[in-house]
Amino acid sequence: MDVIQLQRRFIDYTSSLYREVTLNGFLDEQFTQLQQLQDESNPEFVVEVVSLFFEDAEKLLADLSKTLTQQPIDFKKVDAHVHQFKGSSSSIGAQRVKNECISFRAFCEQRNREGCLQCLEQMKQEYYHVKNKLETLFQLEHQILEAGGTIPMTE
Amino acid sequence: MGRDGGVLLQRVLEAESGSSSSEGSEGPVASSQFHVLAVDDSIVDRKVIERLLKISAYKVTTVDSGRRALEYLGLDEDHSSVDLDNLNVNMIITDYCMPGMTGYDLLKRIKESKKLKEIPVVIMSSENVVPRINRCLEEGAEEFILKPVKLADVERFKGHIIKGLSKEQQEQQQPASNKRKSMSEDLDNLPAQPPERRPRLGELSGA
C-alpha cells in the first residue's frame, strides 16, 4: 500500500474514533492535545503515555476485580480505584472509559454491589475496545513512517 | 532570594518589555530559567504534566507524593535539610487528591514555611468542587486548574512565577519598614505582609 493510501486510511480511522465526540466517541479532544505535545524532540510521546495508561489500567482492573469479590466490599477502596482510573482515562482522552468510571462511582456511592459488578464488566469491555483501537492507530502510524510518509495532522 | 534571584527577575521584566539588559548579553529570558516541581500520584498524569512543562521550556522535577515533595523542598523532618542553597524551585504544581497527604495539605505546609511560602502553588483536580477550590485559594494557591491540564493552562504559569519573584524582591528591598508600600502596577493585589529577614532561597539562576 502506498503512502497516500495509508495516510487516507489513517485519517478515516482517526475520524471514526472521534466521531460523535459528544455522543460518545472513543476519544475526545484530550487525545488531540497529547498529539500536539509530540514533536521531533519527543516523537514517541503519545505511545509512551498510552503505554503507561495501559499498564496502569490493567493493574487497576485487576485490583478492582479483587476488591469486589471480598465480603464485605470495601466501597471506599473501590471508589479510590475508580477515581484513579477515571483520572488516567481522562488524561489520555479515553472518553467512553471515563464515562463508565463516572457511572461506576454512582453505584459505589449507593453501595450497590450488583451495579458495581455490571459496571466493572462494561468498563473492561470499553477499555479493551479502546486499547484495540489505539493499537491499530499506532500500527497505522508505524506503517506510514515505514513507507516513508509523514503522519497527517488530526484537526 | 539572594542577588541572583533579583537578576533573574530583572532580566525577565526586561525581556517582557522588550529592552535588553546592559549587564550581560544573555539574550531574552526563556522560561527554561524557571524550575517547576510537579506533584502527582498518577504516573500517567506525571508524564503529561512533565511534557506540558518541558514543551513550554520549563525545567521540571516530578515527584509522586506530598511527602516526596516536602523532602525535595527540604521541609521533611525525617531528612536533614540537604543542599538548601541550591533549592531553586520557582513554582509548585500539585494534584489535589493524593493518598496520604493531599495537595491541600502540601499547600498548607508550604505556606506555613518561612523559607518557601513565596513560591507560587497551583492546584490541579479532576473534580470541580467549589468549597474545595475556595479552600485552596484562601490558603494561598495561585490558581486551581481542572484536569486534564492543557497547554493554555501552562501558559499562565509564567505570570504566577514572575509575581512570586517580584514579591520576594519587594521584601528584600524593604526590610526596615513596618508596612508594605503600595505595589507597582505589575503586581496586582498582593496582600500586605510584615517584613521579615528573608532567608536565602539560594541560587535562582536555573542552571
Side-chain angles (χ1 to χ4, degrees):
Chain A
M1 203 180 289
D2 73 0
V3 175
I4 308 285
Q5 283 179 298
L6 284 170
Q7 288 173 328
R8 190 162 300 149
R9 212 210 217 176
F10 177 86
I11 292 172
D12 288 344
Y13 192 72
T14 307
S15 304
S16 74
L17 295 181
Y18 283 97
R19 191 163 299 146
E20 300 161 17
V21 162
T22 51
L23 296 174
N24 219 11
F26 287 98
L27 298 175
D28 62 28
E29 316 79 34
Q30 180 60 16
F31 190 75
T32 316
Q33 264 280 295
L34 293 187
Q35 289 177 315
Q36 288 169 355
L37 296 179
Q38 182 165 288
D39 62 18
E40 316 77 46
S41 73
N42 201 328
E44 295 291 303
F45 173 69
V46 180
V47 173
E48 285 170 6
V49 184
V50 172
S51 303
L52 286 173
F53 169 68
F54 290 161
E55 275 175 42
D56 199 46
E58 279 162 47
K59 221 184 307 172
L60 279 168
L61 288 170
D63 287 342
L64 265 171
S65 298
K66 190 161 144 223
T67 314
L68 282 171
T69 57
Q70 290 167 349
Q71 290 284 7
I73 298 181
D74 184 348
F75 281 103
K76 259 183 107 179
K77 205 167 171 197
V78 174
D79 187 69
H81 287 316
V82 181
H83 172 83
Q84 202 179 323
F85 200 21
K86 174 171 160 261
S88 56
S89 56
S90 163
S91 293
I92 67 140
Q95 188 175 238
R96 288 202 198 177
V97 175
K98 179 189 77 176
N99 290 339
E100 282 304 326
C101 292
I102 294 173
S103 310
F104 201 124
R105 292 189 87 190
F107 286 122
C108 270
E109 237 171 290
Q110 297 162 19
R111 304 179 70 84
N112 181 339
R113 183 172 180 268
E114 271 316 305
C116 283
L117 286 169
Q118 268 183 36
C119 228
L120 177 61
E121 281 317 303
Q122 252 163 285
M123 216 159 76
K124 281 183 182 168
Q125 269 188 42
E126 288 299 345
Y127 166 69
Y128 286 114
H129 214 159
V130 78
K131 180 173 186 203
N132 198 279
K133 296 281 182 185
L134 286 169
E135 284 173 339
T136 306
L137 188 72
F138 295 147
Q139 219 171 50
L140 279 171
E141 285 184 348
H142 185 73
Q143 284 176 325
I144 293 173
L145 294 173
E146 289 279 291
T150 53
I151 302 177
M153 287 304 297
T154 8
E155 286 305 313
Chain B
M1 180 167 81
R3 191 173 57 84
D4 284 9
V7 170
L8 175 64
L9 178 61
Q10 173 130 358
R11 283 155 63 202
V12 169
L13 293 175
E14 281 169 352
E16 298 280 302
S17 65
S19 61
S20 54
S21 167
S22 53
E23 208 176 15
S25 49
E26 271 135 332
V29 175
S31 44
S32 55
Q33 303 279 346
F34 297 143
H35 179 198
V36 178
L37 175 66
V39 190
D40 200 317
D41 61 315
S42 158
I43 191 170
V44 173
D45 288 352
R46 276 201 305 282
K47 177 100 178 157
V48 174
I49 193 76
E50 180 190 53
R51 183 66 190 149
L52 281 167
L53 289 165
K54 281 200 169 148
I55 211 175
S56 310
Y58 292 95
K59 188 175 149 204
V60 189
T61 300
T62 59
V63 293
D64 64 3
S65 70
R67 180 97 292 185
R68 296 262 166 97
L70 291 179
E71 273 176 38
Y72 186 83
L73 294 164
L75 280 187
D76 192 330
E77 303 104 27
D78 295 343
H79 296 71
S80 57
S81 302
V82 92
D83 223 0
L84 281 188
D85 279 350
N86 280 330
L87 185 67
N88 61 345
V89 171
N90 301 118
M91 200 190 93
I92 297 162
I93 179 163
T94 177
D95 189 23
Y96 183 94
C97 284
M98 296 187 292
M101 184 180 279
T102 66
Y104 176 76
D105 299 326
L106 177 61
L107 169 69
K108 266 196 98 183
R109 291 290 297 270
I110 291 166
K111 292 303 170 187
E112 282 164 3
S113 154
K114 279 183 157 58
K115 176 164 77 88
L116 300 174
K117 64 183 185 166
E118 299 298 357
I119 300 180
V121 181
V122 169
I123 312 269
M124 318 177 264
S125 176
S126 54
E127 292 168 331
N128 195 353
V129 179
V130 174
R132 175 188 292 185
I133 298 174
N134 287 336
R135 217 161 47 121
C136 290
L137 294 176
E138 276 161 24
E139 195 60 41
E142 298 303 319
E143 197 180 341
F144 190 102
I145 299 178
L146 231 44
K147 281 179 159 183
V149 182
K150 300 172 179 41
L151 262 178
D153 297 318
V154 177
E155 279 160 20
R156 289 196 298 276
F157 293 171
K158 199 156 157 194
H160 299 319
I161 293 177
I162 292 174
K163 209 163 91 169
L165 289 173
S166 301
K167 270 202 277 195
E168 284 200 59
Q169 193 176 51
Q170 289 255 336
E171 286 265 358
Q172 290 257 294
Q173 286 167 359
Q174 302 169 20
S177 64
N178 260 334
K179 251 201 181 82
R180 257 201 184 298
K181 300 214 171 96
S182 57
M183 301 295 150
S184 72
E185 277 141 358
D186 291 340
L187 313 170
D188 45 36
N189 299 323
L190 289 175
Q193 287 171 11
E196 288 166 5
R197 200 83 219 98
R198 288 217 53 82
R200 290 170 60 90
L201 239 175
E203 312 302 326
L204 278 180
S205 55

